[in-house]
């Protein structure tokens, strides 16, 4: 690759990483947000619990090396991904809702909308459709090409973590106590396994 081309690519990558903004797809896929909202409405009708699952999805993606859809990557012979990490194995669900949103977007505007943004839009919609607030999301994220089970196991809080530990952990991500309470509150809809509450 010539230095000029790599400089150009570098520029694109830095620019797209730096310019998250609402309406990011207005020029390239104007119906993107409407398409995702529509898929989420259908998911709600089919399986109301899926909306709670999708909210959890965003947190589990973003907490591990950022909101980059690394959570969606399957294991390969050389990479252990996040799907089977302690926080996700046998509990993270509704992958098929994200897949359906992405498939519908690919039909409307192939190769335009990132999976990372699909997760962000879908979880915003999940909050709105379950009676929470609705808001504009900043878009323009890029998808990761790698995932790390180890990173997920290292950073995801355990159901037994105490308040001091959680406040400190969230602080490392510049998330306030208020953010921690809001995120924990969003875990209070849906369904949990006994194992995650028994220690309380
Ligand atoms: C909270 O959890 C941390 C990490 O597991 C532990 O070191 C600390 O002693 C706990 N604090 C209390 C008050 O239980
Ligand atoms: C937290 O905020 C500080 C100050 O704005 C910034 O330097 C740091 O990079 C942020 N950390 C994270 C994880 O976002």
């Amino acid at each position: 690759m010539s230095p000029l081309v790599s400089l150009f690519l570098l520029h694109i990558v830095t620019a797209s990483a730096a310019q998250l903004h609402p309406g990011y797809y207005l020029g390239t896929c104007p119906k993107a947000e409407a398409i995702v909202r529509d898929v989420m409405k259908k998911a709600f009708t089919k399986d109301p619990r899926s909306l709670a699952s999708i909210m959890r999805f965003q947190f589990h993606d973003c907490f591990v090396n950022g909101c980059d859809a690394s959570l969606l990557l399957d294991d390969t012979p050389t990479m252990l991904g996040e799907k089977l990490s302690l926080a996700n194995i046998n509990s993270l669900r509704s992958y098929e809702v994200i897949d359906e949103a992405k498939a519908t977007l690919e039909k409307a505007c192939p190769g335009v909308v990132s999976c990372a943004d699909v997760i962000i839009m879908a979880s915003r919609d999940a909050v709105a459709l379950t009676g929470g607030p609705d808001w504009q999301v900043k878009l323009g994220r890029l998808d990761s090409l790698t995932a790390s089970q180890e990173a997920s196991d290292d950073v995801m809080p355990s159901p037994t973590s105490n308040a001091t530990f959680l406040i400190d952990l969230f602080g490392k991500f510049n998330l306030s106590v208020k953010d921690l309470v809001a995120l924990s509150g969003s875990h209070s809809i849906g369904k949990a396994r006994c194992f995650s509450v028994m220690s309380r």
Side-chain angles (χ1 to χ4, degrees):
M1 193 186 286
S2 82
L4 193 64
V5 171
S6 55
L7 193 68
F8 179 66
L9 286 178
L10 183 71
H11 177 72
I12 295 178
V13 172
T14 355
S16 37
Q19 293 175 353
L20 293 187
H21 59 81
Y24 182 84
Y25 295 109
L26 279 180
T28 50
C29 192
K31 291 200 174 132
E33 297 200 41
I35 288 172
V36 177
R37 177 71 57 120
D38 197 46
V39 168
M40 292 302 289
K41 280 183 188 159
K42 281 189 208 139
F44 191 22
T45 314
K46 210 166 138 194
D47 170 22
R49 186 184 166 201
S50 65
L51 272 67
S53 305
I54 295 293
M55 285 181 215
R56 184 164 182 260
F57 219 95
Q58 181 189 344
F59 174 62
H60 285 220
D61 183 36
C62 293
F63 225 58
V64 183
N65 295 325
C67 308
D68 59 2
S70 55
L71 192 54
L72 301 173
L73 297 175
D74 289 329
D75 291 354
T76 70
T78 54
M79 182 195 80
L80 281 182
E82 292 156 38
K83 283 187 170 177
L84 304 182
S85 70
L86 293 173
N88 300 332
I89 188 168
N90 297 328
S91 71
L92 205 71
R93 62 193 292 282
S94 298
Y95 288 99
E96 74 284 357
V97 177
I98 301 292
D99 288 348
E100 194 190 332
K102 176 64 173 166
T104 315
L105 286 165
E106 286 306 296
K107 274 185 214 140
C109 5
V112 170
V113 182
S114 70
C115 294
D117 280 339
V118 172
I119 295 174
I120 297 295
M121 290 185 262
S123 38
R124 180 269 314 271
D125 295 342
V127 173
L129 291 169
T130 48
D134 201 352
W135 69 97
Q136 281 208 311
V137 281
K138 290 184 184 172
L139 300 169
R141 288 163 193 79
L142 299 177
D143 291 339
S144 175
L145 301 178
T146 60
S148 168
Q149 192 173 105
E150 198 184 347
S152 176
D153 286 340
D154 273 353
V155 78
M156 287 304 295
S158 139
T160 61
S161 301
N162 62 36
T164 324
F165 177 84
L166 289 171
I167 290 166
D168 182 58
L169 177 67
F170 278 61
K172 288 180 183 148
F173 290 87
N174 287 342
L175 292 167
S176 66
V177 175
K178 191 173 171 183
D179 298 328
L180 167 59
V181 171
L183 283 161
S184 306
S186 71
H187 263 17
S188 66
I189 66 167
K191 206 166 168 182
R193 291 174 298 171
C194 283
F195 130 85
S196 50
V197 285
M198 271 168 69
S199 66
R200 309 280 183 192

